[in-house]
Amino acid sequence: MKAKVWFGTVVAGTLSLLAVIAGYIVVVDPFFHYHKPLEGFAYELANERYQNDGIVKHFSYDTVITGTSMTANFKTTDCDAFFGGKSIKVPFHGGSFKEVNDNLKVALAYNPNVVRVIRCLDINNFTQDKDYVNYENLPEYLYDDNIFNDTQYVWNKTALMVADDILINTAAGEQGTTFDEYMNWSDDYEYGREAVLATYVRPGKEEHAEKLTDMERERTLGNVRQNITDLAKQYPDVEFDYYLSPYSICWWDVEVVQPGKLSWQRDLDQTVIEEILTCDNIHLYSYMDNFELICNLDNYKDRIHYGGETNTNLLRWMSEDKGRITKANYHEYLDRVYDYYGEYDYDSLY
């Protein structure tokens, strides 16, 4: 009898402890799986693939800023000042078009108040397969409505530690992470010519001119349609402000000119632009013809990543409708861009 009582006591104690831990996680909810942040608590925004799904489901907003690391340095205070409204930022470092678009689909399904989406379209990602996802072992239990796999969340050591930190920081009088700060890496790096050139080795010159193949064109169109234009067509009353990522002059040298892909890149750009412009509610912008920006390496930490000042300028320019590509001007835009980068003296960079 004593053994049975002892066993029953242990089981009851264990179940009670598990119930307390689960309840604690549900109430604090550090990854916003069940609800928005508790008012007055110092929540830390620090893990995009654990928190972005909950952010778009439960926060109050009418504007979404999203994309890869190219969007991490945006400040929602800038966005709200330039565009009006209330914005959130949900970047995905290294994310594919599908991953970003899947999160946008959730945002628009859960929040009927969304009127604007601001998104960077990384030029490097257009030829990806439409279903490509860059990261494995994503916390799918946070993305679905299956309560049975929530055990992976409510009895999760990391979630428990984050919840504890929230309470500790709140008791210490600290403030939670703002969207201006969320995933913002701008102040963590050096910028300029030396910093950029130190991040890569210049490849040799390829004399053969590469052409965009039919297979690449069809794969690109499949990617654009599934992960960019289909959603815009589904939500015709939402304005999608999308911009092509403004990579530095060194990107043009290393990724386009040296490998002999100038014609290839132009055909790709034209394919993408013509497809996106089939949607009237997508406002497509590009600053690849802002040569002062692209050629000033003080704006960059490597050949593609620009700092926070550029993010602020991008928001301002889009709010002023500067740099917009239209059906009437895209041929002129392509001529201007490819004439310039085709004739640039890249040896002067080194």
Side-chain angles (χ1 to χ4, degrees), residues 163-299:
D164 287 344
D165 286 342
I166 292 170
L167 296 189
I168 293 170
N169 293 339
T170 301
E174 297 184 14
Q175 300 297 312
T177 309
T178 68
F179 279 115
D180 284 4
E181 300 165 326
Y182 180 35
M183 304 309 297
N184 191 316
W185 48 260
S186 185
D187 294 335
D188 298 335
Y189 295 93
E190 297 293 327
Y191 296 81
R193 180 177 177 276
E194 291 185 6
V196 172
L197 296 184
T199 61
Y200 68 91
V201 176
R202 189 187 192 195
K205 177 71 172 178
E206 174 61 60
E207 298 302 328
H208 174 71
E210 192 169 338
K211 299 293 184 182
L212 188 70
T213 66
D214 291 340
M215 184 177 67
E216 289 171 329
R217 190 184 311 277
E218 289 305 310
R219 185 168 65 232
T220 296
L221 287 172
N223 193 11
V224 170
R225 288 166 181 163
Q226 174 179 290
N227 299 311
I228 299 175
T229 57
D230 282 357
L231 193 63
K233 292 176 181 178
Q234 185 179 348
Y235 292 91
D237 295 329
V238 176
E239 182 174 316
F240 296 83
D241 292 327
Y242 288 175
Y243 71 97
L244 304 176
S245 45
Y247 297 155
S248 79
I249 188 65
C250 290
W251 178 85
W252 282 92
D253 181 38
V254 173
E255 302 291 344
V256 180
V257 175
Q258 289 297 105
K261 298 182 70 173
L262 200 67
S263 177
W264 182 95
Q265 189 66 47
R266 177 173 179 143
D267 286 348
L268 178 69
D269 286 1
Q270 182 166 335
T271 299
V272 167
I273 289 170
E274 289 177 347
E275 183 61 29
I276 290 177
L277 291 181
T278 62
C279 295
D280 292 336
N281 58 328
I282 296 181
H283 294 174
L284 181 63
Y285 298 89
S286 176
Y287 304 99
M288 281 299 191
D289 57 346
N290 184 331
F291 305 122
E292 183 178 355
L293 166 67
I294 302 299
C295 297
N296 183 358
L297 295 182
D298 289 341
N299 295 318

Side-chain angles (χ1 to χ4, degrees), residues 54-187:
I55 288 172
V56 299
K57 285 178 178 175
H58 300 301
F59 280 49
S60 298
Y61 60 94
D62 58 29
T63 299
V64 183
I65 303 172
T66 191
T68 61
S69 56
M70 310 298 288
T71 63
N73 299 329
F74 279 128
K75 295 180 178 180
T76 55
T77 52
D78 285 339
C79 183
D80 298 349
F82 296 146
F83 288 96
K86 184 177 182 181
S87 59
I88 58 169
K89 180 178 70 177
V90 281
F92 292 87
H93 284 66
S96 66
F97 281 169
K98 176 177 171 53
E99 183 176 20
V100 173
N101 189 63
D102 284 351
N103 184 252
L104 277 177
K105 287 194 289 187
V106 173
L108 291 167
Y110 272 77
N111 188 346
N113 297 318
V114 174
V115 297
R116 184 184 307 277
V117 175
I118 298 172
R119 176 182 177 184
C120 177
L121 302 177
D122 288 68
I123 298 173
N124 285 340
N125 290 356
F126 281 118
T127 56
Q128 292 174 347
D129 182 83
K130 60 184 175 61
D131 294 318
Y132 173 72
V133 177
N134 197 26
Y135 285 84
E136 298 179 352
N137 301 320
L138 292 172
E140 299 292 346
Y141 55 88
L142 293 175
Y143 296 0
D144 60 32
D145 296 321
N146 181 3
I147 63 171
F148 296 105
N149 63 16
D150 283 2
T151 55
Q152 299 176 72
Y153 177 47
V154 297
W155 295 314
N156 184 302
K157 179 181 177 181
T158 299
L160 183 62
M161 293 173 62
V162 174
D164 287 344
D165 286 342
I166 292 170
L167 296 189
I168 293 170
N169 293 339
T170 301
E174 297 184 14
Q175 300 297 312
T177 309
T178 68
F179 279 115
D180 284 4
E181 300 165 326
Y182 180 35
M183 304 309 297
N184 191 316
W185 48 260
S186 185
D187 294 335

